[in-house]
Each structure stands twice: as C-alpha cells, then as structure tokens.
C-alpha cells in the first residue's frame, strides 16, 4: 500500500531529490566515484557548495551583506553558538514552545535573558501578542514555527533591536523578508533536506559583535572568507545532507520558488484544517489565527476521546505514517512540509471522513 509520510522531522523529501542522491552515491557528477567517497576539495563538489548557496540567495532574496553558512550540530547547537557570537550582555526571547525554551536555557550561559512573553500557560497553543520588545537588549529571538504545537508566526515582524529567528520548521515554506532579521538559523531536516546540516544566515556587521573570544569552530567568521573557501569549507562539510539540500532546493525553484511553494502549502493546510473544523469527531488544538501551515495538530472532539486509538489504527491501515501527536500535546499531528504531496493530505482527509461515516 502507498504510504503517506507525515513525520515531523526528519521528514518526507521530494522523490526527485532522493533519486538523484541515490545516483550521486553511485557516481558523483560523472566522475565514476561516489559522492561519499570523493574529496570535498574537488571542483565538482565546490560547484555544488556554490550552487547551494546561490539557491538559498535566489529563493529567499538574501542581500549581499548577509553570509549563508552550512554547519554541523543542528539547530540545538545554534542555541548556544548564536549568543556566543552576538550577545554582549542581554537578550530577549519569545517563549512559544519547548524549542524556544531550550534556546533560552543556552543563552543564559552568556548573559541575562528576558523572556518577554510565553504561552506556556496554555501549553503553547497560541502565539503571545501585545508584548513589548525591550530596547536595551542585543537581540530579540523568536521561533517562527512551533513544530510540536502547530503554531506559527506568519509575518516578518518589525523589531527595534536585531531580530533573530529559529526557522527550522518553516524555512522555504513562504517568502521571507530577510532584511528584517539579523540572523536566521535552523536544522535542515524539517523542510530543506535530511538531518546533518544546519543553515545560518547572518548579517555580516553582526560578526564579532559579542566582543567575546571564541573557539575557532564556534566563531561564525571562521566559516566565511578565504580560509573557508568563501563557503563553509573551513573543515569537512556534511557533504551528503548538503547534496540532498541542493537537490531539494532545485525542486523548490522548479516549482516556481517560494511564492508558488506558499500557495501550495496554504492549499494543503486549508484542506486539512477545513476538515478538522467540519468533522464533528475532531478539534484543532492551536489558536485559529496562529495555526501553522507546516504542523497540523488535532485531537478527538470532547466526548469522543475514547475513539483515539481506533482512529490511529484506522489511519495506519490506510497508509498514514507519523501522525501521532507529540507526547506533550497528545492526539494527532500531521506535518505537511513542502515535500508532502497534496495527495497525502487528501488521503488523510478521506480517512477522517470515512471514520466519521463509521461512527454515524
Ligand atoms: C527540530 C527543531 C529544532 C532542533 O533541531 P536539531 O537540528 O535537531 O537540533 C529546533 N527548533 C525547532 C523549531 C525545531 O523544529
């Protein structure tokens, strides 16, 4: 049976990207040697690195005064690497979920952290509003998409101080006004590739702004410039995930770029939220105005809780994979990232409708 992959991360990739990765492992770029066996100093690989950076710049419209880095360690490493690089003494954080809370914890190693608002009181089911961003801080940190709770900050906000965003789970899902941000970072494995590569987009005037002495690898500057061959090649880059990211972004570009990607994502999300709102057996958990286009969280409607296990079994029998909600939310979570085809969303909706009929 055809499987429909709704995993939250690592998650579904475009088939084209998977196929060309398989081929490249056998024979990279017509060299007769596999991608995993070549030197990262070969011209063929240097071209992939340069093209990958160019795809990022073209798709997101990243201005020239920003560097684009591909590093290891995951978004979790950026939770401390970011403050190490740009926090002099104080930073502000918006706490919209467990990932944001983890980022707060690591920032505290480098100075004072002010949590300007938190939605922990309601298990992070909404994005706090009406808070004031302090002006006596080095930066303000947000998490644009809260993967576990299915909430999302849908617009690029204005901030009186440097705005920093963890965009792990919604990068490349919509156009972004990059110049509103000082730093954008995230793990690739939610929306732009497999696990193993982390992207950091940093405005160059922020480099060295913490004034702190840093270990070579922690310092963003190390990964820019001549020693890094201008493109994250100071040391061996994670070649495989970067290659798959390259193929994934080519796929996004061929679809028409981020405007087109956003339209498709909106259509998928509207379809699924529409069914959740219509179907008397289910309810969504996130505040409607903050609903994520990437992670759709829902539970059984009040009084129908006893049907949860039965729906899970039914959905599995119909080929649905990865729809179990995170343990801190319960119920179901369908992650419908860029590469999740609309046919999978239609299949899940059909499943919910058939389940409703069974219980009429
Ligand atoms: C998954 C996730 C992370 C953690 O990413 P790693 O690359 O596994 O460290 C951080 N932030 C958000 C929003 C995430 O979804």
């Amino acid at each position: 049976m055809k499987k429909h992959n709704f995993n939250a991360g690592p998650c579904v990739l475009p088939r084209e990207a998977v196929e060309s990765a398989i081929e490249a492992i056998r024979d990279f770029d017509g060299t007769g040697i596999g991608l995993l066996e070549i030197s990262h100093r070969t011209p063929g690989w240097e071209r992939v690195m340069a093209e990958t950076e160019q795809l990022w710049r073209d798709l997101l419209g990243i201005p020239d005064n920003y560097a684009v880095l591909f590093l290891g360690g995951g978004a979790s490493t950026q939770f401390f690497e970011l403050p190490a690089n740009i926090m002099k003494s104080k930073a502000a954080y918006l706490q919209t979920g467990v990932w944001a809370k983890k980022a707060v914890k690591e920032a505290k190693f480098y100075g004072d952290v002010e949590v300007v608002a938190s939605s922990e009181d309601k298990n992070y089911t909404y994005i706090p509003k009406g808070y004031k961003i302090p002006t006596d801080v080095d930066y303000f940190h947000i998490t644009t998409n809260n993967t576990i709770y299915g909430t999302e900050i849908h617009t690029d906000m204005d901030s009186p101080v440097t705005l920093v965003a963890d965009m792990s789970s919604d990068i490349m899902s919509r156009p972004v006004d990059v110049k509103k941000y000082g730093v954008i970072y995230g793990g690739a494995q939610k929306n732009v590739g497999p696990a193993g590569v982390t992207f950091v987009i940093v405005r160059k005037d922020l480099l060295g702004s913490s004034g702190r002495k840093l270990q070579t690898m922690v310092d963003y500057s190390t990964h820019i410039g001549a020693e890094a061959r201008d493109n994250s090649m100071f040391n061996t880059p994670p070649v495989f995930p970067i290659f798959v990211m390259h193929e994934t972004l080519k796929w996004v570009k061929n679809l028409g770029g981020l405007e087109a990607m956003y339209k498709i994502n909106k259509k998928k999300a509207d379809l699924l939220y529409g069914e959740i709102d219509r179907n008397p057996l289910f309810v969504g958990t996130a505040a409607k105005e903050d609903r994520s286009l990437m992670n759709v969280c829902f539970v059984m409607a009040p009084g129908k809780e006893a049907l949860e296990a039965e729906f899970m079994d039914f959905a599995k029998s119909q080929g649905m994979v990865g729809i179990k909600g995170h343990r801190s939310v319960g119920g179901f979570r369908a992650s419908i990232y860029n590469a999740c085809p609309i046919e999978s969303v239609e299949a899940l909706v059909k499943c919910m409708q058939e389940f409703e009929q069974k219980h009429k």
Side-chain angles (χ1 to χ4, degrees), residues 19 58 72 122 144 153 186 210 213 254 262 280 282 285 341 350:
E19 292 304 328
D58 293 348
K122 290 189 181 159
T144 49
I153 298 172
S210 73
K213 265 194 158 179
N254 288 339
Y262 174 74
F282 302 98
T285 55
K350 183 159 167 268

Side-chain angles (χ1 to χ4, degrees), residues 18-20 44 77 89 123 150 165 205 226 278 287 294 297 299 317 326:
V18 173
E19 292 304 328
S20 53
T77 295
S89 58
N123 198 29
D205 62 280
R278 184 208 62 78
M294 300 279 94
C297 296
V299 294
S317 76
H326 189 273

